[in-house]
Short mmCIF file of all heavy atoms in Angstrom, two decimals:
data_model
loop_
_atom_site.label_atom_id
_atom_site.label_comp_id
_atom_site.label_asym_id
_atom_site.label_seq_id
_atom_site.Cartn_x
_atom_site.Cartn_y
_atom_site.Cartn_z
N MET A 1 135.89 101.04 153.25
CA MET A 1 135.61 100.02 152.27
C MET A 1 136.13 100.33 150.94
O MET A 1 137.09 99.63 150.44
CB MET A 1 134.14 99.67 152.23
CG MET A 1 133.84 98.49 151.37
SD MET A 1 132.18 97.92 151.57
CE MET A 1 131.50 98.62 150.08
N PHE A 2 135.65 101.37 150.20
CA PHE A 2 136.22 101.78 148.93
C PHE A 2 136.87 103.08 149.19
O PHE A 2 136.41 103.92 149.84
CB PHE A 2 135.02 101.96 147.94
CG PHE A 2 134.61 100.68 147.40
CD1 PHE A 2 133.17 100.28 147.42
CD2 PHE A 2 135.42 99.83 146.68
CE1 PHE A 2 132.81 99.20 146.85
CE2 PHE A 2 135.00 98.65 146.02
CZ PHE A 2 133.67 98.35 146.10
N GLU A 3 137.94 103.31 148.39
CA GLU A 3 138.41 104.72 148.24
C GLU A 3 137.63 105.40 147.23
O GLU A 3 136.97 104.67 146.47
CB GLU A 3 139.94 104.72 147.97
CG GLU A 3 140.74 104.10 149.20
CD GLU A 3 142.18 104.11 148.82
OE1 GLU A 3 142.57 104.84 147.97
OE2 GLU A 3 143.02 103.45 149.57
N PHE A 4 137.96 106.72 147.02
CA PHE A 4 136.92 107.50 146.07
C PHE A 4 137.27 107.05 144.67
O PHE A 4 136.27 106.85 143.84
CB PHE A 4 137.28 108.92 146.30
CG PHE A 4 136.40 109.80 145.45
CD1 PHE A 4 135.05 109.90 145.68
CD2 PHE A 4 136.87 110.52 144.33
CE1 PHE A 4 134.12 110.69 144.95
CE2 PHE A 4 135.98 111.24 143.57
CZ PHE A 4 134.65 111.34 143.96
N ASP A 5 138.45 106.78 144.32
CA ASP A 5 138.84 106.40 142.87
C ASP A 5 138.31 104.99 142.57
O ASP A 5 137.82 104.71 141.50
CB ASP A 5 140.33 106.52 142.55
CG ASP A 5 141.16 105.61 143.54
OD1 ASP A 5 140.68 105.29 144.64
OD2 ASP A 5 142.33 105.37 143.24
N GLN A 6 138.24 104.10 143.55
CA GLN A 6 137.70 102.79 143.42
C GLN A 6 136.15 102.91 143.24
O GLN A 6 135.56 102.21 142.48
CB GLN A 6 137.92 101.86 144.59
CG GLN A 6 139.41 101.50 144.60
CD GLN A 6 139.75 100.66 145.80
OE1 GLN A 6 139.26 100.95 146.92
NE2 GLN A 6 140.63 99.73 145.73
N TYR A 7 135.55 103.81 143.99
CA TYR A 7 134.06 104.15 143.87
C TYR A 7 133.83 104.53 142.55
O TYR A 7 132.77 104.20 141.88
CB TYR A 7 133.74 105.07 144.91
CG TYR A 7 132.23 105.42 144.98
CD1 TYR A 7 131.26 104.50 145.26
CD2 TYR A 7 131.85 106.71 144.56
CE1 TYR A 7 129.94 104.86 145.25
CE2 TYR A 7 130.51 107.04 144.41
CZ TYR A 7 129.58 106.13 144.84
OH TYR A 7 128.30 106.46 144.89
N LEU A 8 134.50 105.47 141.94
CA LEU A 8 134.36 106.00 140.62
C LEU A 8 134.54 105.01 139.56
O LEU A 8 133.74 104.91 138.56
CB LEU A 8 135.28 107.22 140.31
CG LEU A 8 134.90 108.44 140.95
CD1 LEU A 8 135.92 109.57 140.69
CD2 LEU A 8 133.53 108.93 140.68
N GLY A 9 135.48 104.12 139.70
CA GLY A 9 135.71 103.07 138.75
C GLY A 9 134.56 102.05 138.75
O GLY A 9 134.15 101.57 137.79
N PHE A 10 134.05 101.72 139.98
CA PHE A 10 132.89 100.88 140.17
C PHE A 10 131.71 101.49 139.53
O PHE A 10 130.90 100.82 138.73
CB PHE A 10 132.64 100.58 141.64
CG PHE A 10 131.45 99.64 141.84
CD1 PHE A 10 131.61 98.31 141.50
CD2 PHE A 10 130.39 100.12 142.45
CE1 PHE A 10 130.53 97.50 141.79
CE2 PHE A 10 129.34 99.23 142.67
CZ PHE A 10 129.37 97.91 142.31
N LEU A 11 131.46 102.69 139.72
CA LEU A 11 130.34 103.40 139.04
C LEU A 11 130.44 103.44 137.46
O LEU A 11 129.49 103.20 136.81
CB LEU A 11 130.20 104.85 139.52
CG LEU A 11 129.57 105.01 140.90
CD1 LEU A 11 129.51 106.52 141.25
CD2 LEU A 11 128.22 104.49 140.96
N ALA A 12 131.77 103.63 136.97
CA ALA A 12 131.92 103.64 135.65
C ALA A 12 131.69 102.27 134.97
O ALA A 12 130.99 102.07 133.96
CB ALA A 12 133.36 103.98 135.21
N PHE A 13 132.06 101.25 135.67
CA PHE A 13 131.83 99.85 135.43
C PHE A 13 130.33 99.44 135.34
O PHE A 13 129.82 98.90 134.33
CB PHE A 13 132.51 98.84 136.33
CG PHE A 13 132.09 97.40 136.12
CD1 PHE A 13 132.55 96.66 135.06
CD2 PHE A 13 131.16 96.76 136.99
CE1 PHE A 13 132.14 95.27 134.77
CE2 PHE A 13 130.72 95.49 136.82
CZ PHE A 13 131.29 94.76 135.72
N LEU A 14 129.64 99.92 136.29
CA LEU A 14 128.20 99.73 136.25
C LEU A 14 127.46 100.33 135.25
O LEU A 14 126.59 99.86 134.53
CB LEU A 14 127.59 100.17 137.68
CG LEU A 14 127.71 99.19 138.84
CD1 LEU A 14 127.12 99.80 140.21
CD2 LEU A 14 127.25 97.72 138.56
N THR A 15 127.88 101.67 134.99
CA THR A 15 127.37 102.30 133.86
C THR A 15 127.50 101.78 132.48
O THR A 15 126.58 101.58 131.73
CB THR A 15 127.87 103.85 133.88
OG1 THR A 15 127.63 104.44 135.07
CG2 THR A 15 127.27 104.63 132.72
N ILE A 16 128.76 101.20 132.29
CA ILE A 16 129.04 100.63 130.94
C ILE A 16 128.37 99.38 130.84
O ILE A 16 127.78 98.98 129.77
CB ILE A 16 130.56 100.52 130.78
CG1 ILE A 16 131.21 101.88 130.65
CG2 ILE A 16 130.94 99.55 129.70
CD1 ILE A 16 132.69 101.88 130.83
N ALA A 17 128.22 98.54 132.00
CA ALA A 17 127.63 97.19 131.90
C ALA A 17 126.08 97.41 131.71
O ALA A 17 125.53 96.69 130.83
CB ALA A 17 127.86 96.47 133.22
N THR A 18 125.48 98.41 132.34
CA THR A 18 124.09 98.67 132.16
C THR A 18 123.78 99.20 130.74
O THR A 18 122.72 98.58 130.10
CB THR A 18 123.60 99.68 133.18
OG1 THR A 18 123.92 99.35 134.52
CG2 THR A 18 122.11 99.98 133.09
N MET A 19 124.60 100.04 130.22
CA MET A 19 124.32 100.37 128.80
C MET A 19 124.43 99.28 127.74
O MET A 19 123.67 99.15 126.87
CB MET A 19 125.34 101.57 128.43
CG MET A 19 125.12 103.00 129.02
SD MET A 19 126.03 104.29 128.47
CE MET A 19 127.71 103.69 128.57
N GLY A 20 125.48 98.37 127.94
CA GLY A 20 125.61 97.17 127.17
C GLY A 20 124.44 96.29 127.31
O GLY A 20 123.92 95.70 126.30
N PHE A 21 123.97 96.11 128.53
CA PHE A 21 122.67 95.26 128.79
C PHE A 21 121.50 95.89 127.87
O PHE A 21 120.85 95.10 127.21
CB PHE A 21 122.46 95.19 130.21
CG PHE A 21 121.07 94.56 130.53
CD1 PHE A 21 121.01 93.12 130.41
CD2 PHE A 21 120.00 95.30 130.88
CE1 PHE A 21 119.77 92.49 130.63
CE2 PHE A 21 118.74 94.65 131.10
CZ PHE A 21 118.65 93.32 131.00
N TRP A 22 121.24 97.12 128.09
CA TRP A 22 120.06 97.76 127.44
C TRP A 22 120.25 97.71 125.83
O TRP A 22 119.36 97.64 125.15
CB TRP A 22 119.74 99.03 127.98
CG TRP A 22 119.16 99.05 129.30
CD1 TRP A 22 119.76 99.44 130.50
CD2 TRP A 22 117.96 98.44 129.57
NE1 TRP A 22 118.84 99.11 131.59
CE2 TRP A 22 117.77 98.48 131.12
CE3 TRP A 22 116.83 97.71 128.98
CZ2 TRP A 22 116.62 97.96 131.75
CZ3 TRP A 22 115.78 97.25 129.65
CH2 TRP A 22 115.66 97.38 130.85
N LEU A 23 121.49 97.96 125.45
CA LEU A 23 121.74 97.94 124.06
C LEU A 23 121.52 96.56 123.46
O LEU A 23 120.83 96.30 122.35
CB LEU A 23 123.20 98.36 123.69
CG LEU A 23 123.66 98.32 122.27
CD1 LEU A 23 122.83 99.28 121.51
CD2 LEU A 23 125.09 98.63 122.05
N LEU A 24 121.85 95.43 124.21
CA LEU A 24 121.56 94.04 123.82
C LEU A 24 120.07 93.83 123.70
O LEU A 24 119.63 93.09 122.78
CB LEU A 24 122.26 93.16 124.72
CG LEU A 24 122.09 91.67 124.48
CD1 LEU A 24 122.87 91.27 123.26
CD2 LEU A 24 122.67 90.83 125.69
N ILE A 25 119.39 94.39 124.73
CA ILE A 25 117.81 94.12 124.76
C ILE A 25 117.37 94.96 123.56
O ILE A 25 116.40 94.33 122.87
CB ILE A 25 117.38 94.68 126.06
CG1 ILE A 25 117.79 93.85 127.21
CG2 ILE A 25 115.77 94.70 126.07
CD1 ILE A 25 117.38 92.39 127.22
N PHE A 26 117.69 96.16 123.28
CA PHE A 26 117.24 96.87 122.12
C PHE A 26 117.48 96.24 120.78
O PHE A 26 116.60 96.05 119.95
CB PHE A 26 117.84 98.28 122.08
CG PHE A 26 117.57 99.08 120.88
CD1 PHE A 26 116.26 99.59 120.76
CD2 PHE A 26 118.47 99.30 119.86
CE1 PHE A 26 115.99 100.40 119.66
CE2 PHE A 26 118.23 99.93 118.70
CZ PHE A 26 116.90 100.49 118.58
N ILE A 27 118.76 95.67 120.61
CA ILE A 27 119.07 94.99 119.39
C ILE A 27 118.19 93.67 119.25
O ILE A 27 117.62 93.38 118.13
CB ILE A 27 120.52 94.69 119.34
CG1 ILE A 27 121.30 95.97 119.19
CG2 ILE A 27 120.82 93.73 118.20
CD1 ILE A 27 122.82 95.79 119.13
N ALA A 28 117.99 92.91 120.29
CA ALA A 28 117.34 91.67 120.18
C ALA A 28 115.76 91.92 120.00
O ALA A 28 115.10 91.04 119.44
CB ALA A 28 117.51 90.85 121.58
N THR A 29 115.30 93.05 120.53
CA THR A 29 113.72 93.26 120.42
C THR A 29 113.32 94.01 119.25
O THR A 29 112.22 93.99 118.91
CB THR A 29 113.29 93.66 121.69
OG1 THR A 29 113.85 94.94 121.95
CG2 THR A 29 113.40 92.85 122.78
N PHE A 30 114.19 94.94 118.79
CA PHE A 30 113.77 95.79 117.67
C PHE A 30 114.64 95.65 116.34
O PHE A 30 114.02 95.51 115.21
CB PHE A 30 113.96 97.28 118.18
CG PHE A 30 112.85 97.58 119.14
CD1 PHE A 30 113.27 97.86 120.49
CD2 PHE A 30 111.52 97.75 118.93
CE1 PHE A 30 112.44 98.13 121.58
CE2 PHE A 30 110.63 98.12 119.92
CZ PHE A 30 111.08 98.20 121.28
N VAL A 31 115.86 95.67 116.48
CA VAL A 31 116.75 95.72 115.27
C VAL A 31 116.68 94.40 114.50
O VAL A 31 116.40 94.41 113.31
CB VAL A 31 118.19 95.98 115.71
CG1 VAL A 31 119.07 95.99 114.36
CG2 VAL A 31 118.23 97.39 116.21
N VAL A 32 116.86 93.29 115.16
CA VAL A 32 116.76 91.99 114.42
C VAL A 32 115.45 91.67 113.86
O VAL A 32 115.35 91.19 112.79
CB VAL A 32 117.36 90.86 115.46
CG1 VAL A 32 117.13 89.48 114.80
CG2 VAL A 32 118.72 91.11 115.86
N PRO A 33 114.29 91.77 114.62
CA PRO A 33 113.01 91.58 113.99
C PRO A 33 112.86 92.51 112.74
O PRO A 33 112.26 92.11 111.70
CB PRO A 33 111.99 91.76 115.05
CG PRO A 33 112.78 91.63 116.37
CD PRO A 33 114.16 91.99 115.99
N TYR A 34 113.28 93.83 112.86
CA TYR A 34 113.07 94.68 111.68
C TYR A 34 113.91 94.27 110.56
O TYR A 34 113.38 94.24 109.41
CB TYR A 34 113.61 96.09 112.20
CG TYR A 34 113.25 97.16 111.16
CD1 TYR A 34 112.06 97.81 110.93
CD2 TYR A 34 114.53 97.70 110.44
CE1 TYR A 34 111.89 98.74 109.96
CE2 TYR A 34 114.28 98.62 109.49
CZ TYR A 34 112.98 99.20 109.24
OH TYR A 34 112.85 100.16 108.32
N TRP A 35 115.02 93.81 110.76
CA TRP A 35 115.97 93.27 109.78
C TRP A 35 115.26 92.05 109.04
O TRP A 35 115.27 91.86 107.78
CB TRP A 35 117.28 92.95 110.43
CG TRP A 35 118.33 92.45 109.37
CD1 TRP A 35 118.51 92.67 108.17
CD2 TRP A 35 119.43 91.61 109.79
NE1 TRP A 35 119.65 92.08 107.67
CE2 TRP A 35 120.18 91.31 108.66
CE3 TRP A 35 119.73 90.88 110.95
CZ2 TRP A 35 121.20 90.49 108.65
CZ3 TRP A 35 120.84 90.01 110.96
CH2 TRP A 35 121.55 89.75 109.85
N ILE A 36 114.90 91.10 109.87
CA ILE A 36 114.25 89.87 109.36
C ILE A 36 112.99 90.16 108.57
O ILE A 36 112.75 89.74 107.46
CB ILE A 36 113.95 88.85 110.45
CG1 ILE A 36 115.29 88.27 111.06
CG2 ILE A 36 113.12 87.65 110.00
CD1 ILE A 36 115.19 87.55 112.32
N GLY A 37 112.13 91.10 109.07
CA GLY A 37 110.95 91.44 108.46
C GLY A 37 111.09 92.15 107.07
O GLY A 37 110.55 91.91 106.11
N GLY A 38 112.22 93.07 107.13
CA GLY A 38 112.51 93.68 105.79
C GLY A 38 113.01 92.76 104.82
O GLY A 38 112.69 92.87 103.60
N SER A 39 113.90 91.81 105.19
CA SER A 39 114.32 90.85 104.21
C SER A 39 113.23 90.05 103.67
O SER A 39 113.18 89.56 102.45
CB SER A 39 115.47 89.93 104.84
OG SER A 39 115.01 89.19 105.89
N LEU A 40 112.30 89.63 104.52
CA LEU A 40 111.17 88.78 104.12
C LEU A 40 110.23 89.51 103.00
O LEU A 40 109.89 88.97 102.08
CB LEU A 40 110.24 88.36 105.29
CG LEU A 40 110.93 87.28 106.04
CD1 LEU A 40 109.93 86.94 107.35
CD2 LEU A 40 110.94 85.92 105.28
N VAL A 41 110.02 90.81 103.31
CA VAL A 41 109.18 91.64 102.41
C VAL A 41 109.98 91.73 101.06
O VAL A 41 109.33 91.65 100.05
CB VAL A 41 109.04 92.97 102.96
CG1 VAL A 41 108.37 94.01 101.99
CG2 VAL A 41 108.04 92.98 104.17
N GLU A 42 111.31 91.95 101.06
CA GLU A 42 112.11 92.04 99.72
C GLU A 42 111.98 90.71 99.05
O GLU A 42 111.81 90.78 97.82
CB GLU A 42 113.52 92.56 100.18
CG GLU A 42 113.58 93.92 100.56
CD GLU A 42 113.16 94.91 99.51
OE1 GLU A 42 113.47 94.75 98.28
OE2 GLU A 42 112.53 95.85 99.86
N ARG A 43 112.13 89.64 99.87
CA ARG A 43 112.15 88.33 99.09
C ARG A 43 110.68 88.12 98.49
O ARG A 43 110.53 87.57 97.44
CB ARG A 43 112.46 87.23 100.14
CG ARG A 43 112.45 85.87 99.66
CD ARG A 43 113.58 85.71 98.59
NE ARG A 43 113.61 84.40 98.01
CZ ARG A 43 113.79 84.03 96.80
NH1 ARG A 43 114.16 84.97 95.85
NH2 ARG A 43 113.70 82.87 96.38
N LEU A 44 109.65 88.46 99.10
CA LEU A 44 108.28 88.28 98.60
C LEU A 44 108.16 89.16 97.40
O LEU A 44 107.52 88.75 96.45
CB LEU A 44 107.24 88.61 99.64
CG LEU A 44 107.10 87.57 100.75
CD1 LEU A 44 106.13 88.13 101.88
CD2 LEU A 44 106.78 86.20 100.36
N LYS A 45 108.63 90.34 97.36
CA LYS A 45 108.64 91.16 96.20
C LYS A 45 109.34 90.51 95.00
O LYS A 45 108.78 90.61 93.89
CB LYS A 45 109.17 92.57 96.44
CG LYS A 45 108.30 93.48 97.32
CD LYS A 45 109.07 94.84 97.51
CE LYS A 45 108.23 95.69 98.48
NZ LYS A 45 108.90 97.02 98.72
N GLU A 46 110.50 89.91 95.33
CA GLU A 46 111.23 89.32 94.28
C GLU A 46 110.53 88.14 93.68
O GLU A 46 110.45 87.92 92.50
CB GLU A 46 112.59 88.83 94.72
CG GLU A 46 113.55 89.94 95.03
CD GLU A 46 114.87 89.46 95.68
OE1 GLU A 46 115.07 88.25 95.93
OE2 GLU A 46 115.78 90.30 96.08
N LEU A 47 109.88 87.36 94.53
CA LEU A 47 109.14 86.21 94.08
C LEU A 47 107.93 86.65 93.24
O LEU A 47 107.63 85.94 92.26
CB LEU A 47 108.71 85.40 95.30
CG LEU A 47 109.73 84.57 96.10
CD1 LEU A 47 109.18 83.93 97.28
CD2 LEU A 47 110.37 83.57 95.17
N LYS A 48 107.27 87.67 93.68
CA LYS A 48 106.20 88.21 92.87
C LYS A 48 106.61 88.63 91.51
O LYS A 48 105.87 88.42 90.56
CB LYS A 48 105.47 89.37 93.73
CG LYS A 48 104.17 89.85 92.97
CD LYS A 48 103.55 90.96 93.80
CE LYS A 48 102.38 91.46 93.04
NZ LYS A 48 101.69 92.64 93.66
N GLU A 49 107.80 89.36 91.44
CA GLU A 49 108.19 89.93 90.17
C GLU A 49 108.57 88.73 89.38
O GLU A 49 108.31 88.77 88.06
CB GLU A 49 109.44 90.75 90.39
CG GLU A 49 109.06 92.11 90.99
CD GLU A 49 110.41 92.90 91.38
OE1 GLU A 49 111.45 92.43 91.09
OE2 GLU A 49 110.17 93.95 91.84
N GLU A 50 109.24 87.72 89.77
CA GLU A 50 109.50 86.46 89.09
C GLU A 50 108.23 85.82 88.53
O GLU A 50 108.22 85.39 87.38
CB GLU A 50 110.42 85.44 89.89
CG GLU A 50 111.75 85.92 90.11
CD GLU A 50 112.48 84.97 91.05
OE1 GLU A 50 111.91 83.80 91.31
OE2 GLU A 50 113.51 85.31 91.48
N ARG A 51 107.29 85.61 89.35
CA ARG A 51 106.04 85.06 88.96
C ARG A 51 105.37 85.86 87.83
O ARG A 51 104.82 85.34 86.79
CB ARG A 51 105.08 84.94 90.07
CG ARG A 51 103.88 84.08 89.92
CD ARG A 51 102.97 83.88 91.20
NE ARG A 51 102.57 85.33 91.65
CZ ARG A 51 102.60 85.66 92.87
NH1 ARG A 51 103.04 84.76 93.78
NH2 ARG A 51 102.25 86.78 93.22
N ASP A 52 105.30 87.25 88.01
CA ASP A 52 104.70 88.12 86.95
C ASP A 52 105.51 88.04 85.61
O ASP A 52 104.94 88.08 84.52
CB ASP A 52 104.73 89.53 87.37
CG ASP A 52 103.67 89.59 88.53
OD1 ASP A 52 102.83 88.86 88.75
OD2 ASP A 52 103.80 90.73 89.18
N ALA A 53 106.88 87.86 85.72
CA ALA A 53 107.73 87.71 84.46
C ALA A 53 107.39 86.48 83.76
O ALA A 53 107.55 86.42 82.48
CB ALA A 53 109.16 87.95 84.86
N ARG A 54 107.13 85.47 84.46
CA ARG A 54 106.93 84.07 83.81
C ARG A 54 105.61 84.10 83.11
O ARG A 54 105.31 83.40 82.13
CB ARG A 54 107.06 83.03 84.85
CG ARG A 54 108.41 82.51 85.15
CD ARG A 54 108.38 81.22 85.93
NE ARG A 54 108.90 81.57 87.34
CZ ARG A 54 108.58 80.94 88.39
NH1 ARG A 54 107.65 80.07 88.51
NH2 ARG A 54 109.21 81.40 89.53
N LYS A 55 104.64 84.83 83.69
CA LYS A 55 103.31 84.97 83.03
C LYS A 55 103.35 85.62 81.76
O LYS A 55 102.54 85.27 80.80
CB LYS A 55 102.27 85.72 84.00
CG LYS A 55 101.93 84.78 85.15
CD LYS A 55 100.83 85.53 85.98
CE LYS A 55 100.39 84.55 87.12
NZ LYS A 55 99.42 85.15 87.98
N LYS A 56 104.23 86.54 81.60
CA LYS A 56 104.25 87.35 80.37
C LYS A 56 105.00 86.70 79.14
O LYS A 56 105.58 85.75 79.19
CB LYS A 56 105.00 88.74 80.59
CG LYS A 56 104.06 89.70 81.37
CD LYS A 56 104.72 90.91 81.59
CE LYS A 56 103.75 91.85 82.39
NZ LYS A 56 104.32 93.10 82.63
#
């Protein structure tokens, strides 16, 4: 069915595709929410500083 070099190519393809899949899952579940949460915290700090500056 497969020759040995075709088998190695198929294994390389599966390895790369699997790594890409798990990287996509990691980015979607950890990196993006961390990025959004950090930007929200920074924005809230800026709003608080602006509010404090207006009071003085």
Side-chain angles (χ1 to χ4, degrees):
M1 186 169 100
F2 280 125
E3 292 181 19
F4 188 68
D5 58 342
Q6 290 176 324
Y7 178 70
L8 287 180
F10 181 68
L11 284 180
F13 169 76
L14 283 181
T15 301
I16 292 168
T18 304
M19 287 190 308
F21 171 76
W22 287 114
L23 180 63
L24 181 68
I25 295 298
F26 172 73
I27 289 172
T29 57
F30 293 108
V31 175
V32 172
Y34 183 77
W35 180 33
I36 292 172
S39 64
L40 286 175
V41 168
E42 289 297 319
R43 182 66 181 142
L44 290 174
K45 285 180 184 178
E46 290 174 4
L47 290 174
K48 184 179 177 185
E49 289 174 1
E50 288 177 12
R51 189 178 59 225
D52 292 343
R54 275 191 247 147
K55 285 183 178 180
K56 290 183 179 180

